[in-house]
Amino acid sequence: MMDRVAGRMLEATVLERLGIALASITTAILVGLLAVTASGYNPVLFLNNLIVGSIGSERVLARTLRLSTFFVLTGVAVAIAFRAGVFNIGVQGQFIVGGICCTMSILWAAPLLPNGTVGGIVLMLLGTVAAAIGGGLYGALPGVLKAYADANEIITTIMLNFIAIGVVSWLITNPFRAEGATNVRTESLPDNVGLPPIVFGDSGFSVIGLALTLVLVAVVAVVMTRTRSGYDMVTSGYQASAAVYSGVDAKRTIVTTMTFSGAVAGIASALYVIMFQGNFIEPASIHTYGYDAIAVSLLAANNPVGVIPAGLLFGGLNSSGSYIQTYSDVPVQLIDGIVGLVIVFVAAPELFRMAAKRTGLGGDDE
Amino acid sequence: MTTGNTPPAVRLEGITKRFGDVVANDHVDFTLEAGSIHALLGENGSGKTTLMSVLYGLYDQDEGEIYIDGEPQTFDTPRDAMDAGVGMIHQHFQLVEPMTVLQNVILGHEPVTNDFGFVDEEAAREEIEAISTRYGFEVGDHLDVPIRDLDLGTRQRVEIVKSLYRGAEILVLDEPTAVLTPQEVDRLMEVMEDLRADGRSLIFISHKLDEALTIADDITVLRGGTAVGTVPASETTEQELAQMMVGREVLFDRKPRETTPGAPILEVDGLRVTGDRGLEKVSEVELSVREGEIFGIAGVQGNGQTELIEALTGLRTPDSGAVRFGGEEITEMTRRDRTEAGIAYIPEDRHTEGLVMEYDLVRNGLLGNQTIAPFVKNGFIDWEVVRDHTEEIIDEFDVQPPDADNKASSLSGGNQQKFIVGREIGHDPAVLIASHPTRGVDIGSIEFIHNRLIELRDQGLAIVVVSSKLEEIQKLSDRIAVMYEGEFIDTVDPNAVTEEEIGLLMAGQRLDETDAAETDSGVQT
Amino acid sequence: MSASTSVLEYTQHRRVRLAGLAVAVLAVLGAVATAVFDVPLDRIFTPGYVARSMELAAPITLAAIGGLYAEKSGVFNIGLEGFMIFGAFFAAAATYFVGTGGAVHAWIGIGMSVLLTTMLTVLFAVLLIRYKADQIVAGLGVWFIGLGLVPFTAAIIWGSRNSPRMPGVGRVTVPGASEIPYLGRIVFDQSPLVWLTILIVIGSWVFLYRTRYGYWIQAAGDNPEALDTAGIDVNRVRYAAVIFSGAMAGLGGAVLLAHSSSFVGTGQTMVDGRGWLGIVAYLFGNYNPVGAAAAALLFGGVDMLQGQLQTLDIDASPKLLGLLPYVVVIVVLTGWGKTRVPSSVGEPYESEE
């Protein structure tokens, strides 16, 4: 079933995909505005807040870009799996596991290394590798269960998300809890760990982080389109039986895909910890990047490069969410609802095709 | 069999059906006389099934009229056709595998005991048993068996019972013999005669000339969506029908070969393979294929050919026995390693295996070659090299239209198959395993592929061909092994056996012990 | 006969072995609990425990039955979790608006919830069937919409994502019979919603295996063409099954609310994965309503276990114990992956190409 589903999603032409993505977003936001109006708030003000809250000042722009890097990276993680026909809904869990691995490995290794910049760089590399390994292994687990025990990965990854939140939450309230901290969190990372704030001031966002994100996207894009492993994965996603015929080990490819996807989710979390958070907090209160990433990836038709604009859009939406929470009474959960609507609409391209045909806009569509 | 007053059971006038730009039926006229069997002959893709789908209400015709018993009819759904007494036995059985025979027969026409829709099983049972007894079907004996536990011949009889249960007076059988053993075919012919004797009218769709001549009263030939002509079966010959079907003389003859085979290159000893359902599908098979030889494997589908091929190509691990390639044991070698070693493979199903339908031809050109230099070096793909190679294949194998950027799905079956053949022999393999190399391919492409295979054999390639088409096996092979229930029941010289003899072997009867085999033949499951 | 076939089937395959495995896991857990924490088992498996487990199992069972009908007809309703969230919320909101005085209001809330969730599912079904939406993606979308719009609306109504206290439906106590040792509490002093659930389980089994409509549902999921050529409109059957699945998930959410004291809209909301457990329950029960109910009872029992252990002052983190059902799901799926999925699930059906 999975490869057929993935196949159907990938069928449309580039232009059509773009049209469907735009139509989905517009419709979802319109429904959101309707909900705002029905709740007795001013929709024009809400729309204004959406824009001002995402690009209205240097401060919110930095926040938008910061959130975008997380959405882009988690979105790429989802895209890898979806392209290969594996439904990894577990990016949130892989993100959390990657993050705690990153945080703790840095905290443990810090006393062994010098304090300066060099020590900091080594620690950050170490943390990133630990995050990739942690996220990768946590992704590999449902991959192995799917490949060798035929366990539906949609359900196992969602269960593993719940488990990751529970276990990591327990870890940071008990053995890993920072001494004397008022809220539940780990110790803070040493001062030499962190990305220098360039262009934007101290806002938990660094242009270096953005650059690293783009590099990673490029690497993933090259792997998926120009390497044998990528070809094997994508072919499995389009048509698993043809991949097997061509000599691809289907089971191993599932595990590889999930590991790769989980590792990217882990790296996303390393960036989150190192660039922004500086420690690890109660996982239930971390934004659901891994779930929103599903929408990001689908909007981008699971294309790693397409994830960049989709991620920016989600960064903007969520950035204005924070703004709305502070400066208006509209409950911020509306943004999550809009994300859900985007997903539903992206799932039904036929809706827009028919609408386009009926209004005469899509005459050249097949 | 026709009296002046009885209107024909079915009359189709000027039926036209288009799919997009493709005209599947072009003003087809067709008349089925009441109480007769009318064969509808034609190659794959000639429009037989489309025409019958129009008759059965599955497709709406773009033009034309349908008359049943002289009355004009409009069939929007199969239900309308059924209500008018038309029943159809589809090529792919319309049976729900986990449900029982009884549930399948009454599906959509369930007798109920009350308004809540509770099924009256007893009433259904009685009626089905009455039908079964009338035509001597054994279907009545396993009403509570799920369909998935029945063999194909029995499933087909379930389909016939289903149509009769629904009150069909006109039965359309779409390629009913394609999946049957020769014995089951004989049984089907008897059933069809009984139905005709009972006053029912039958349409028999086939591309097998001999069957049409044996059973039918009239024969209509379709070619390229148009009706070429209708002839009484008693006044025509196989040769004439074949000519009508393909539009020119077809020679079924073998060309004598001028080269001699070399040393054995692919050998198999005592091979046992288990199939998907945990049953042993290949039992103690031995074979040895020589360089410059075509080794044909004949047999009714499902007798272990698929599993044997999978074991040869590395897609399935045998339970015991050995596969040797050039003297070296490769039993445990993966598909990928075997490809690199020089074992090429034309798969059984080009739509699901041989091609990725959504990929263009360039990306399909890499399929199976992912580890082979110069296409891939150090894990990186050189798409320029792949494109050049793809264009060579397109050129050399006359793939139409000749554009490497076309999606595989946009090509016709014959061109898809030519592309696969070209790709698989592209890098000088030592062994080629070809599974149904011309299935669903037009006549022109069949000849092209056959000639290429013979050419390659003469250049020293060892080829294993599996096909359910006897004439193909006979035309190509230097030796023919007949597979039956997982074993090579015999290996014969194609020049020394008749098609009938191979047919007997395919049914499990050894040529030298026909007497003994008769007692065996009762155990047909 | 068909019934005996399915019952036979039910006992033949790996199911029994797995149920055995599940029981074994529980037994081991029990043994560990006894040995390590020195707890007498009879203090855990009290009649109250069993009765409460059934209460917890009821919402999961209802979602599972809805889900299995949809999937048997060929549509994977992965939005069960989302529809349960809506169901719980609609029940709370309806009760809140008619009055929170007593059981009558709770019942009105349940009725309204089923009605509203069903209407919502109609939209979902149209999207899946008419507009051929990707079932998995759209189902996930429903979950996210539930997680977003429900707390949003809750915050608008109540000024908080959680509702004020809601009335329950109480228990039906049969005088005299409820005094029977052990069984009395479980059977004759039970939530009426548990009884309703049991009736629905039996009814849906009979409907599926004894009526023509049940045949149609099975055929629609396994060989829609066979149903189509038998003259039955496949998509109508699918619409009916999907809408029913939404109604059941909505009812499941409403039952969950009725068994709690108020609506909780924070985090994963009060539904907290029970819709997903419902999917696993029917896979585990091999698409048989009775099997699904048994699996749901297992999950309910595991869920209740943590509360039970806590009341016994056992020194184990409630946070970690709360993860038990999820772990059980993974273990079950891993040992159980080979459920035979109807062969046409996920494919939109068109009678003319």
Side-chain angles (χ1 to χ4, degrees):
Chain A
M1 182 170 80
M2 299 308 161
D3 44 298
R4 280 199 301 268
V5 170
R8 225 180 297 131
M9 287 195 297
L10 300 171
E11 259 169 34
T13 63
V14 175
L15 205 66
E16 205 188 14
R17 280 178 210 162
L18 199 65
I20 287 165
L22 289 175
S24 301
I25 296 159
T26 315
T27 320
I29 290 181
L30 281 178
V31 174
L33 287 177
L34 219 63
V36 168
T37 316
S39 318
Y41 298 105
N42 182 347
V44 179
L45 187 64
F46 180 78
L47 201 58
N48 183 56
N49 285 344
L50 273 187
I51 296 162
V52 173
S54 53
I55 51 172
S57 69
E58 192 190 298
R59 205 174 57 80
V60 298
L61 186 60
R63 182 173 63 200
T64 296
L65 289 174
R66 183 227 306 155
L67 293 171
S68 299
T69 57
F70 306 145
F71 285 116
V72 168
L73 287 178
T74 49
V76 167
V78 172
I80 291 167
F82 280 24
R83 276 244 120 166
V86 185
F87 274 83
N88 180 10
I89 313 297
V91 168
Q92 183 72 9
Q94 291 139 22
F95 183 91
I96 288 167
V97 171
I100 193 76
C101 288
C102 172
T103 313
M104 295 319 293
S105 61
I106 291 178
L107 288 176
W108 287 328
L112 309 174
L113 286 161
N115 279 334
T117 315
V118 178
I121 290 172
V122 172
L123 282 176
M124 286 188 274
L125 285 176
L126 174 79
T128 308
V129 170
I133 292 174
L137 288 178
Y138 206 64
L141 176 64
V144 169
L145 295 183
K146 177 184 170 65
Y148 297 98
D150 217 4
N152 183 321
E153 80 277 23
I154 299 175
I155 295 166
T156 52
T157 51
I158 289 172
M159 296 297 123
L160 286 168
N161 287 345
F162 293 151
I163 292 172
I165 291 173
V167 171
V168 172
S169 171
W170 179 81
L171 283 175
I172 64 168
T173 32
N174 295 295
F176 296 166
R177 180 163 190 171
E179 276 172 48
T182 45
N183 55 344
V184 177
R185 61 170 179 85
T186 63
E187 297 283 355
S188 290
L189 299 181
D191 290 338
N192 61 344
V193 172
L195 299 178
I198 310 173
V199 187
F200 298 96
D202 180 29
S203 55
F205 171 69
S206 165
V207 173
I208 295 176
L210 182 64
L212 290 173
T213 298
L214 296 179
V215 168
L216 191 62
V217 171
V219 168
V220 171
V222 167
V223 168
M224 297 308 271
T225 58
R226 307 204 74 95
T227 69
R228 194 192 80 204
S229 318
Y231 183 86
D232 286 357
M233 281 191 254
V234 176
T235 305
S236 303
Y238 271 105
Q239 210 173 298
S241 48
V244 169
Y245 155 79
S246 79
V248 172
D249 182 332
K251 294 177 192 250
R252 201 184 300 164
T253 303
I254 290 170
V255 178
T256 312
T257 303
M258 284 297 295
T259 312
F260 188 23
S261 173
V264 173
I267 293 174
S269 194
L271 188 68
Y272 171 82
V273 168
I274 293 170
M275 180 176 83
F276 170 59
Q277 192 67 45
N279 54 31
F280 210 72
I281 54 167
E282 166 57 41
S285 62
I286 293 177
H287 183 81
T288 50
Y289 296 108
Y291 288 127
D292 292 5
I294 295 166
V296 171
S297 176
L298 290 171
L299 263 185
N302 305 325
N303 181 321
V305 178
V307 160
I308 294 172
L312 281 168
L313 179 87
F314 271 69
L317 263 181
N318 281 281
S319 178
S320 48
S322 307
Y323 185 84
I324 287 163
Q325 196 165 27
T326 321
Y327 298 103
S328 91
D329 294 334
V330 182
V332 70
Q333 284 74 30
L334 183 63
I335 302 285
D336 295 334
I338 292 177
V339 170
L341 286 166
V342 169
I343 295 181
V344 168
F345 290 131
V346 169
E350 201 66 20
L351 192 66
F352 297 113
R353 284 195 196 117
M354 284 196 191
K357 234 174 249 174
R358 211 154 284 170
T359 53
L361 284 172
D364 48 341
D365 278 348
E366 282 196 305
Chain B
M1 78 219 78
T2 48
T3 63
N5 301 337
T6 319
V10 174
R11 191 151 57 87
L12 302 177
E13 274 187 14
I15 299 290
T16 298
K17 174 70 191 169
R18 298 183 198 91
F19 296 102
D21 297 335
V22 182
V23 184
N25 286 148
D26 189 1
H27 298 91
V28 176
D29 297 328
F30 176 86
T31 303
L32 168 66
E33 298 297 344
S36 76
I37 299 177
H38 196 139
L40 194 55
L41 273 181
E43 286 283 304
N44 287 324
S46 59
K48 300 170 302 216
T49 301
T50 305
L51 185 67
M52 289 302 113
S53 298
V54 167
L55 171 60
Y56 194 56
L58 282 169
Y59 296 150
D60 294 329
Q61 68 269 32
D62 296 312
E63 290 170 40
E65 302 297 329
I66 301 172
Y67 299 88
I68 303 294
D69 296 328
E71 300 288 324
Q73 301 277 357
T74 319
F75 296 154
D76 292 330
T77 66
R79 187 105 201 179
D80 298 339
M82 260 179 260
D83 290 345
V86 180
M88 184 150 172
I89 316 301
H90 295 262
Q91 194 174 353
H92 304 290
F93 299 144
Q94 299 301 324
L95 298 170
V96 187
E97 292 207 2
M99 291 170 73
T100 65
V101 170
L102 182 131
Q103 291 170 337
N104 268 283
V105 169
I106 64 175
L107 186 68
H109 297 72
E110 302 86 356
V112 290
T113 53
N114 56 27
D115 291 343
F116 296 110
F118 279 82
V119 174
D120 187 346
E121 276 203 18
E122 282 320 303
R125 195 175 296 274
E126 274 169 34
E127 198 171 339
I128 299 170
E129 274 165 3
I131 295 169
S132 301
T133 319
R134 183 160 169 196
Y135 294 103
F137 291 137
E138 72 284 25
V139 168
D141 302 338
H142 24 248
L143 285 181
D144 299 309
V145 179
I147 295 295
R148 62 164 167 252
D149 294 342
L150 298 175
D151 61 75
L152 295 174
T154 312
R155 289 184 194 196
Q156 188 171 60
R157 287 189 283 281
V158 173
E159 280 276 36
I160 295 174
V161 170
K162 194 165 94 176
S163 278
L164 296 175
Y165 178 87
R166 292 172 185 173
E169 291 297 324
I170 299 157
L171 280 164
V172 182
L173 295 105
D174 189 0
E175 307 229 4
T177 58
V179 292
L180 303 184
T181 63
Q183 280 65 29
E184 285 176 325
V185 171
D186 290 346
R187 178 86 182 80
L188 174 68
M189 297 288 176
E190 282 167 27
V191 168
M192 289 171 68
E193 278 167 9
D194 288 348
L195 289 166
R196 174 173 58 188
D198 203 36
R200 298 180 204 257
S201 320
L202 288 85
I203 301 175
F204 172 71
I205 305 178
S206 181
H207 57 229
K208 293 181 183 162
L209 310 174
D210 52 335
E211 288 172 0
L213 282 169
T214 313
I215 189 74
D217 300 301
D218 301 292
I219 299 172
T220 293
V221 177
L222 284 185
R223 188 175 74 225
T226 53
V228 184
T230 300
V231 288
S234 52
E235 293 168 21
T236 186
T237 62
E238 230 171 280
Q239 209 64 19
E240 187 193 5
L241 290 172
Q243 211 173 325
M244 287 167 80
M245 273 168 75
V246 301
R248 60 192 157 95
E249 291 280 336
V250 177
L251 295 173
F252 289 130
D253 293 338
R254 281 171 59 80
K255 293 187 194 99
R257 65 176 297 174
E258 282 145 17
T259 55
T260 47
I265 179 154
L266 184 68
E267 294 161 290
V268 165
D269 278 332
L271 199 68
R272 289 182 178 275
V273 188
T274 302
D276 283 336
R277 287 199 172 179
L279 299 172
E280 183 168 286
K281 296 295 284 185
V282 177
S283 316
E284 289 292 329
V285 162
E286 320 266 326
L287 72 82
S288 165
V289 187
R290 292 167 294 177
E291 289 171 342
E293 175 184 53
I294 298 181
F295 185 85
I297 299 176
V300 177
Q301 253 184 295
N303 272 290
Q305 298 97 317
T306 306
E307 289 79 6
L308 172 62
I309 293 301
E310 285 175 346
L312 293 181
T313 53
L315 291 173
R316 195 182 281 272
T317 315
D319 303 326
S320 64
V323 181
R324 281 191 303 279
F325 172 64
E328 267 179 66
E329 169 141 2
I330 57 162
T331 319
E332 302 283 326
M333 208 186 244
T334 62
R335 162 91 191 106
R336 192 156 264 181
D337 291 342
R338 286 185 214 209
T339 309
E340 287 175 41
I343 301 180
Y345 173 34
I346 298 169
E348 183 171 334
D349 187 338
R350 62 176 166 272
H351 296 113
T352 62
E353 297 176 318
L355 295 168
V356 178
M357 301 312 278
E358 289 300 313
Y359 276 0
D360 57 25
L361 291 183
V362 177
R363 281 190 288 169
N364 269 302
L366 186 66
L367 195 69
N369 298 336
Q370 291 106 303
T371 54
I372 293 174
F375 308 124
V376 178
K377 280 183 232 155
N378 305 321
F380 282 88
I381 303 165
D382 189 336
W383 283 113
E384 284 312 307
V385 176
V386 178
R387 174 175 291 274
D388 291 346
H389 175 64
T390 305
E391 278 165 356
E392 274 168 36
I393 297 170
I394 291 171
D395 192 40
E396 195 185 336
F397 283 81
D398 188 33
V399 177
Q400 294 296 334
D403 182 351
D405 292 319
N406 275 333
K407 270 190 189 178
S409 56
S410 70
L411 267 56
S412 74
N415 284 301
Q416 290 173 346
Q417 194 70 12
K418 283 191 284 187
F419 182 80
I420 294 175
V421 174
R423 182 185 66 202
E424 290 309 309
I425 61 178
H427 35 85
D428 295 327
V431 171
L432 173 66
I433 292 165
S435 197
H436 305 274
T438 61
R439 179 186 277 176
V441 166
D442 61 287
I443 290 263
S445 301
I446 291 179
E447 275 198 29
F448 186 92
I449 291 171
H450 282 176
N451 291 339
R452 283 310 302 253
L453 291 178
I454 290 170
E455 250 175 72
L456 287 161
R457 174 201 68 189
D458 289 343
Q459 290 163 18
L461 184 66
I463 303 175
V464 177
V465 174
V466 173
S467 176
S468 47
K469 290 194 275 189
L470 266 190
E471 68 264 33
E472 174 168 82
I473 289 276
Q474 282 207 295
K475 177 181 167 193
L476 291 175
S477 307
D478 298 306
R479 284 187 296 152
I480 300 173
V482 182
M483 204 161 179
Y484 177 75
E485 293 194 342
E487 289 177 61
F488 281 171
I489 190 163
D490 206 347
T491 304
V492 295
D493 176 353
N495 295 309
V497 289
T498 61
E499 207 164 296
E500 288 68 36
E501 285 172 319
I502 297 185
L504 278 176
L505 285 168
M506 284 168 63
Q509 300 186 18
R510 289 168 206 278
L511 298 180
D512 48 357
E513 42 184 287
T514 322
D515 296 340
E518 262 169 25
T519 45
D520 282 352
S521 65
V523 204
Q524 290 274 335
T525 40
Chain C
M1 271 314 273
S2 69
S4 64
T5 317
S6 63
V7 170
L8 192 70
E9 231 180 68
Y10 190 77
T11 47
Q12 267 171 0
H13 301 289
R14 297 176 56 188
R15 228 152 299 135
V16 169
R17 253 185 290 158
L18 253 132
L21 180 74
V23 172
V25 168
L26 281 184
V28 170
L29 283 178
V32 169
T34 315
V36 178
F37 303 112
D38 194 24
V39 174
L41 284 183
D42 58 344
R43 283 185 55 206
I44 295 181
F45 295 100
T46 58
Y49 167 78
V50 177
R52 278 289 291 153
S53 297
M54 288 171 85
E55 267 184 37
L56 288 179
I60 302 172
T61 306
L62 291 166
I65 284 176
L68 81 86
Y69 263 68
E71 188 154 344
K72 264 205 175 273
S73 83
V75 180
F76 190 8
N77 184 354
I78 210 170
L80 288 180
E81 173 90 6
F83 288 117
M84 277 186 87
I85 296 175
F86 277 108
F89 168 72
F90 285 147
T95 306
Y96 178 76
F97 285 120
V98 294
T100 51
V104 178
H105 299 121
W107 282 106
I108 293 173
I110 291 169
M112 286 301 291
S113 163
V114 172
L115 194 70
L116 292 170
T117 320
T118 306
M119 282 161 62
L120 210 58
T121 324
V122 171
L123 293 180
F124 181 64
V126 169
L127 215 55
L128 290 194
I129 298 168
R130 179 175 161 78
Y131 293 105
K132 301 186 197 75
D134 188 293
Q135 295 173 4
I136 290 172
V137 178
L140 285 172
V142 170
W143 182 31
F144 295 152
I145 293 176
L147 284 176
L149 288 190
V150 164
F152 166 78
T153 319
I156 285 173
I157 297 177
W158 297 305
S160 147
R161 282 178 277 167
N162 302 334
S163 79
R165 199 173 165 76
M166 290 286 158
V169 291
R171 287 191 208 154
V172 174
T173 309
V174 181
S178 61
E179 303 300 321
I180 302 170
Y182 211 81
L183 280 184
R185 165 71 177 94
I186 298 170
V187 183
F188 299 107
D189 187 16
Q190 184 55 280
S191 158
L193 293 169
V194 169
W195 281 110
L196 179 68
T197 305
I198 292 171
L199 283 180
I200 289 175
V201 169
I202 295 168
S204 60
W205 185 90
V206 170
F207 190 82
L208 203 53
Y209 294 112
R210 281 283 187 266
T211 71
R212 48 162 42 170
Y213 311 111
Y215 288 16
W216 297 354
I217 288 172
Q218 299 184 58
D222 232 289
N223 189 343
E225 239 183 317
L227 190 64
D228 190 16
T229 53
I232 308 295
D233 187 335
V234 173
N235 285 336
R236 269 176 68 180
V237 173
R238 289 186 172 177
Y239 269 119
V242 174
I243 292 168
F244 174 73
S245 75
M248 284 298 105
L251 179 61
V255 167
L256 181 67
L257 179 81
H259 287 165
S260 328
S261 53
S262 64
F263 177 80
V264 180
T266 50
Q268 298 288 324
T269 76
M270 68 190 305
V271 176
D272 201 16
R274 286 183 177 79
W276 297 109
L277 293 180
I279 293 177
V280 179
Y282 75 70
L283 292 177
F284 193 21
N286 203 34
Y287 299 92
N288 184 315
V290 178
L297 189 59
L298 175 75
F299 292 138
V302 174
D303 201 3
M304 191 57 212
L305 202 56
Q306 44 162 321
Q308 195 75 354
L309 291 179
Q310 271 165 262
T311 56
L312 291 174
D313 278 337
I314 290 169
D315 184 26
S317 157
K319 210 165 238 165
L320 294 184
L321 276 175
L323 301 177
L324 255 183
Y326 309 131
V327 176
V328 170
V329 165
I330 292 176
V331 170
V332 163
L333 273 186
T334 305
W336 198 244
K338 297 271 184 246
T339 304
R340 191 185 174 280
V341 179
S343 48
S344 296
V345 168
E347 290 171 63
Y349 185 74
E350 276 175 288
S351 55
E352 184 168 353
E353 312 201 13

